[in-house]
Amino acid sequence: AGGRALRLLPGRLRAHGARLGSVGTAEAAEDTEVNTRKKTFTEVQTERLEQAERTVLIKCPSRLNEKKLLQYLSSHGKINSHFFFENRGIHALVEFSEKSSVASLQDIVGIPKAAEHHVVPFKSRLFTFTLKNPVTKAAQETPVHLSPQSHIPVNELIQKLYRADSISSQMYILLNEYQLTEENTKLRFLACSLVQDFARAYFPDSTVKPFGSSVNTFGKLGCDVDMFLDFHDTQEHATQMKKGPFEMEYQMKRLPSERLATQKILSVIGDCLDNFGPGCMSIQKILNARCPLVKFAHQPTGFQCDLSVSNSIAIKSSELLYIYGNLDSRVRALVFSLRCWARVHGLTNSVPGTWITNFSLTMMVMFFLQKRSPPIIPTLDQLKELADEKDKHIIGGNDCSFVSDLSKINPTKNTETLDELLCDFFEYFGNFDFRKNSLNLRRGKEVNKPESSPLYIWNPFEQDLNISKNVNQPQLEKFVAMARESAWILQKEDRTQRMINKEPWGLAALLTPFGKSNPNKMRRTKGLGSETIRSLLDSLKLSNASNLQKAVGK
Ligand code: CTP
Ligand code: MG
């Protein structure tokens, strides 16, 4: 059914109905599209963080009278929105319209008896709903609607793709299935807000905010929540108050480096979550990484979380991607399809290693879109030219200024279809001179590689950093081989014949491991198969070699 509406929507118009995934049907997208001003990244962040502070999470019994629950809660104040989801039992996320309602609810609820549980006196926003007299009438227990928090498996997705009528609509189907929903986004901000309650026990002026794919418009259901502890407001306060004769000693020892301060802060917050954080499990402190972090599973929301301390550059790159993701609907559709393609073929992986990361792949797509003629998205230098006074940001000596108001950016004149763009992406990177050139998104140009990393993508804000430094030669070669193979499939396939034969076509063919969809094709891809195996072996050899090195301590 989605197919019809999808076909009606010209690429550019679909831009932001899907943004932050507002429940995500094509029809909904169509209605909200026209002439609504798009919010800036900061506006969205501020609004969602504030909503999350008025929100509670309630564990519900499996048989539930929704009306009764809402009736109880309403006695504490007006409810703005709520939804149910499954996560080891049914939970309800409830957003009140006033923050005081949360306190009101906290004040009347029972606290586990000290004799049974040795409680730490900390009031959380996690509740359990139980009725003393279980409702007897089955009629009162209408099954509640459960909002899905994960996407369908790839094989189910492929089934849906058969029914589309073009590659472009296949790509929008994938986008609508995988993108974050409004509900999932609320849950992500709630997870941050619950961690913030803890952080504030130590650092009353701190804030915990999400960054990365939870907020940059490229997150898919199920991805981790990257969050950071922000003391920015405190710093601003400090500079404002410089005038009088007093200088305040912070409630912290002076430390010789920012890195050491970061490690100490993360260490105590990590211990705090580990000892007292309700539902915070498997806490891992990774403090010696380039960007120190604490990893943990947040069971009440079901998210895997990475907590770090404010990294202004990473936030700027989240904002930059947010802008790109909102400028033209083809941007997100292309990125989602390529991320899925890369995952299916083992080019990306959920564990860190020598493979391309989703972040690097996204930057490669952005670079490709800057290079179209006419370009589909502007270069970072062009966005900088549009910046006004309040957009000016210098971070650690790097100029990170760019325009925040989306309406100042002229829409592209490019009318290429996603069918063309997908095929050209594979052709472009299948033939890219990676040995000589690097990708520079600030200028939207290839430039000579400054050093010999196999894949060099300039960090747009820290000009001497390569965001894909981790990628080794075999992994890059595998990427190139897969890109060439994919371009070949798209150019050569006889779509009508494939549709008649009920074989995967278009995007579905690209998401089926090569060599499996059609026995005839297997013969042809034999050469590639062995090449893929060779590069896999190479990468194994390499990782064994480095393990060996570690083992012998060299
Ligand atoms: N980041 C960066 N430089 C890197 C890696 C990451 O600046 N070399 C920043 C980016 O802003 C990125 C964020 O850290 O968005 C989070 O990194 P990561 O979780 O690896 O990427 P995501 O964009 O969140 O993608 P994924 O869905 O794979 O988590
Ligand atoms: Mg992430």
Side-chain angles (χ1 to χ4, degrees):
R4 182 195 55 83
L6 290 166
R7 226 176 310 140
L8 295 174
L9 292 167
R12 221 164 322 123
L13 280 177
R14 296 192 67 263
H16 71 277
R19 189 196 62 200
L20 286 183
S22 40
V23 195
T25 65
E27 284 88 342
E30 201 170 20
D31 289 339
T32 54
E33 269 342 301
V34 193
N35 291 335
T36 43
R37 190 184 75 86
K38 292 175 192 171
K39 289 178 181 147
T40 67
F41 181 75
T42 318
E43 283 167 350
V44 176
Q45 290 276 88
T46 314
E47 190 177 298
R48 292 214 178 259
L49 285 166
E50 195 269 325
Q51 281 174 353
E53 288 187 21
R54 300 184 255 113
T55 301
V56 298
L57 198 62
I58 301 174
K59 192 170 170 40
C60 302
S62 57
R63 296 171 69 79
L64 174 69
N65 183 339
E66 183 173 353
K67 247 187 169 165
K68 265 256 153 66
L69 171 69
L70 294 178
Q71 210 177 330
Y72 276 114
L73 292 171
S74 304
S75 67
H76 298 281
K78 188 170 165 272
I79 295 170
N80 263 6
S81 71
H82 77 283
F83 66 87
F84 294 93
F85 65 100
E86 158 68 42
N87 171 36
R88 306 151 167 255
I90 296 177
H91 287 72
L93 178 148
V94 180
E95 183 196 310
F96 286 105
S97 68
E98 302 291 334
K99 208 174 160 183
S100 58
S101 304
V102 177
S104 160
L105 184 62
Q106 282 171 331
D107 282 345
I108 59 107
V109 295
I111 295 175
K113 283 204 189 71
E116 293 164 27
H117 304 268
H118 298 277
V119 297
V120 177
F122 176 84
K123 286 182 178 173
S124 85
R125 284 185 278 146
L126 305 171
F127 302 89
T128 309
F129 178 61
T130 37
L131 282 174
K132 290 227 176 61
N133 312 313
V135 193
T136 41
K137 268 196 230 148
Q140 288 185 307
E141 294 168 5
T142 42
V144 291
H145 169 74
L146 296 175
S147 153
Q149 304 303 324
S150 56
H151 62 76
I152 54 170
V154 179
N155 53 349
E156 259 174 61
L157 173 76
I158 290 178
Q159 295 304 315
K160 292 199 177 204
L161 299 183
Y162 283 108
R163 281 174 255 148
D165 62 357
S166 68
I167 293 180
S168 169
S169 47
Q170 288 185 320
M171 291 167 79
Y172 281 117
I173 291 174
L174 184 145
L175 176 64
N176 280 313
E177 291 292 339
Y178 277 35
Q179 70 184 341
L180 302 185
T181 58
E182 169 70 16
E183 288 83 1
N184 192 266
T185 303
K186 279 188 191 269
L187 204 52
R188 282 168 189 272
F189 276 84
L190 177 63
C192 293
S193 181
L194 294 173
V195 172
Q196 175 177 285
D197 287 349
F198 264 89
R200 284 191 177 173
Y202 267 108
F203 307 108
D205 295 320
S206 63
T207 322
V208 175
K209 298 176 182 170
F211 72 106
S213 59
S214 296
V215 292
N216 67 14
T217 75
F218 296 107
K220 76 166 187 187
L221 287 171
C223 71
D224 297 358
V225 182
D226 301 294
M227 46 176 88
F228 68 93
L229 246 174
D230 193 16
F231 300 102
H232 192 70
D233 301 342
T234 330
Q235 280 161 15
E236 260 174 19
H237 188 242
T239 45
Q240 275 168 22
M241 300 296 278
K242 251 181 204 155
K243 288 163 196 154
F246 298 105
E247 194 178 298
M248 180 175 67
E249 187 75 28
Y250 265 126
Q251 284 176 344
M252 218 169 119
K253 294 180 175 162
R254 288 168 194 241
L255 294 168
S257 76
E258 195 181 342
R259 181 173 169 85
L260 198 58
T262 297
Q263 289 169 329
K264 291 206 180 234
I265 291 167
L266 282 177
S267 182
V268 292
I269 300 284
D271 285 342
C272 189
L273 290 173
D274 198 6
N275 288 312
F276 310 121
C280 295
M281 311 296 281
S282 320
I283 284 102
Q284 269 179 285
K285 297 185 194 173
I286 307 172
L287 302 179
N288 286 325
R290 193 180 80 84
C291 179
L293 79 158
V294 172
K295 263 186 182 304
F296 61 96
H298 190 253
Q299 279 191 346
T301 53
F303 290 122
Q304 182 62 44
C305 305
D306 282 357
L307 174 69
S308 50
V309 168
S310 183
N311 173 348
S312 319
I313 299 261
I315 297 143
K316 274 287 151 191
S317 60
S318 300
E319 177 171 0
L320 178 67
L321 286 179
Y322 171 89
I323 289 182
Y324 283 148
N326 269 301
L327 283 181
D328 187 292
S329 68
R330 290 169 292 179
V331 178
R332 295 173 69 239
L334 190 58
V335 169
F336 273 77
S337 294
L338 286 166
R339 279 187 172 204
C340 188
W341 165 84
R343 190 72 185 88
V344 165
H345 297 293
L347 298 171
T348 52
N349 199 304
S350 53
V351 294
T354 57
W355 24 78
I356 295 172
T357 62
N358 277 329
F359 180 60
S360 294
L361 181 60
T362 307
M363 287 304 196
M364 290 171 87
V365 182
M366 297 307 124
F367 183 74
F368 166 76
L369 294 172
Q370 290 177 337
K371 296 274 301 175
R372 303 308 294 169
S373 170
I376 294 184
I377 57 171
T379 67
L380 185 50
D381 274 342
Q382 288 164 340
L383 292 178
K384 185 175 146 191
E385 269 164 39
L386 296 172
D388 59 27
E389 221 23 66
K390 69 172 178 356
D391 296 330
K392 293 238 149 44
H393 290 281
I394 313 279
I395 303 171
N398 297 301
D399 191 348
C400 301
S401 315
F402 58 88
V403 65
S404 58
D405 181 352
L406 288 150
S407 66
K408 287 197 189 158
I409 308 167
N410 285 335
T412 173
K413 297 222 161 46
N414 182 305
T415 55
E416 288 172 290
T417 64
L418 278 167
D419 298 46
E420 294 168 273
L421 291 171
L422 184 66
C423 190
D424 282 4
F425 175 89
F426 292 131
E427 212 174 278
Y428 181 73
F429 283 114
N431 296 304
F432 191 90
D433 190 353
F434 287 107
R435 257 176 314 178
K436 179 164 159 267
N437 288 331
S438 62
L439 285 66
N440 186 319
L441 284 103
R442 185 163 272 286
R443 290 158 62 187
K445 273 214 278 245
E446 296 103 350
V447 295
N448 283 339
K449 275 205 297 200
E451 43 106 336
S452 63
S453 301
L455 174 61
Y456 199 106
I457 306 172
W458 296 79
N459 182 315
F461 302 110
E462 275 173 287
Q463 281 293 317
D464 295 330
L465 281 185
N466 172 11
I467 62 167
S468 52
K469 205 179 170 63
N470 63 310
V471 178
N472 67 10
Q473 191 61 33
Q475 287 300 326
L476 179 65
E477 278 169 21
K478 188 174 162 189
F479 173 85
V480 170
M482 291 292 175
R484 286 184 187 165
E485 174 73 1
S486 302
W488 199 93
I489 290 176
L490 291 180
Q491 284 160 5
K492 296 284 151 35
E493 82 171 359
D494 181 348
R495 191 177 300 176
T496 328
Q497 194 54 47
R498 282 181 162 257
M499 280 169 161
I500 294 167
N501 295 351
K502 294 212 159 36
E503 282 175 44
W505 62 274
L507 185 58
L510 297 182
L511 297 183
T512 310
F514 296 154
K516 285 203 180 147
S517 60
N518 177 346
N520 293 332
K521 227 185 76 202
M522 249 186 2
R523 239 171 285 136
R524 190 183 53 72
T525 56
K526 215 169 166 187
L528 174 93
S530 55
E531 188 172 309
T532 310
I533 290 166
R534 188 170 50 79
S535 66
L536 268 171
L537 283 175
D538 279 350
S539 88
L540 274 175
K541 261 187 241 152
L542 271 180
S543 69
N544 280 345
S546 63
N547 284 344
L548 201 67
Q549 265 184 359
K550 266 183 230 148
V552 296
K554 278 191 187 154

